[in-house]
Amino acid sequence: MRLVAGSDARVVSPLFTDLDEAPCATTGVPTVAVTSVLNGTLSAPTATAWTGRTGRYRATLTAATHLTTVDQLTVTWTGTADSAARTLTQQVDVAGGVYVPTDVLAAQRTVPETDLGMESLRAWRTSFELIAERARGVAYVPRLAIEDHPASHRCSVPLEWARPRELLAVWVDGEAVDVDLYELDKGSKTVEGDFSYPVRLAYSHGYTQPPEALVAACQDYVRAKALSTTSDQARTVLSFTNLASGEVYRYGTADWDAGRWTGMESVDSLISSVDDERRWGVK
């Protein structure tokens, strides 16, 4: 799940089930705990039941407490369902933005205008963003990266992601240390310091906003996913046409080595039109 720093957002719990794996309400509402990679345990939000969605609960993460900056959060939901204790976790990537706002995607009117429909739009959008970032080796909105480097005799290590912005935290042999003991070199995309012990680095990276080509590709990807999901067409078709708009979507087999990251011809063409910033040998 990806949320935006600086804006309140509502999260939906994973599904609580009974012993037969059917949706099941908990005894009372579950408790919620939030842990930040950068700031440890945060103030716990209050869960509320999601009317009409048995086994699902919602909680609000606030900009002031939980979504202050790029981060990675673990949200833990704990409750009792069917007399059994349940602990469900989800990972939240707090980014500096999204490629296309949800209301713009919703205006395409390809999914029902319900909470569940909006959750689907967000999931498809995040899926595309992750594909584009992996395909080009760079984030197009600010994000947090966590990297582990084994003990070595090096005095600097290369970073996986292009466009590093700021070194935010460092752990040496599992213990947090002063980040000023290490130096980020944005030009060479490396961090310099003592790596004689295992080191974990947390740094922000990425562009401020995506290029127009990826905005268009994101919209195409989400629209195609929504149309194929909400239509009654067979899932084995190679192409389909939106009769209302005349748009044709062609599918192929996704093949990363061949530059077919999604298997959608128009989307993959737009992804390939932006610069490839991957490090050599990274796929």
Side-chain angles (χ1 to χ4, degrees), residues 164-245:
R165 301 169 68 94
E166 182 182 2
L167 186 62
L168 298 173
V170 179
W171 296 265
V172 176
D173 206 18
E175 297 292 328
V177 300
D178 186 347
V179 71
D180 290 336
L181 295 174
Y182 290 76
E183 183 177 354
L184 170 65
D185 187 329
K186 296 181 181 179
S188 63
K189 307 172 192 174
T190 60
V191 171
E192 299 177 356
D194 181 3
F195 289 91
S196 56
Y197 294 91
V199 174
R200 169 170 286 190
L201 304 172
Y203 64 97
S204 59
H205 63 97
Y207 287 93
T208 301
Q209 60 185 25
E212 292 183 4
L214 292 186
V215 172
C218 183
Q219 289 177 289
D220 273 357
Y221 179 88
V222 172
R223 183 162 55 240
K225 287 291 187 181
L227 285 170
S228 64
T229 300
T230 58
S231 74
D232 59 359
Q233 298 194 64
R235 300 298 182 255
T236 55
V237 296
L238 296 178
S239 69
F240 69 88
T241 301
N242 180 354
L243 297 179
S245 66

Side-chain angles (χ1 to χ4, degrees), residues 26-61:
T26 59
T27 302
V29 295
T31 59
V32 187
V34 181
T35 304
S36 159
V37 166
L38 298 177
N39 300 305
T41 302
L42 304 179
S43 177
T46 300
T48 59
W50 188 359
T51 303
R53 301 291 176 186
T54 301
R56 297 277 191 184
Y57 297 85
R58 300 190 290 190
T60 298
L61 302 184

Side-chain angles (χ1 to χ4, degrees), residues 54-100:
T54 301
R56 297 277 191 184
Y57 297 85
R58 300 190 290 190
T60 298
L61 302 184
T62 66
T65 302
H66 311 100
L67 307 175
T68 58
T69 185
V70 293
D71 203 344
Q72 290 179 12
L73 307 179
T74 299
V75 181
T76 304
W77 306 75
T78 304
T80 300
D82 197 13
S83 300
R86 305 282 189 184
T87 299
L88 309 178
T89 62
Q90 59 192 160
Q91 303 302 312
V92 176
D93 176 22
V94 185
V98 294
Y99 291 16
V100 184

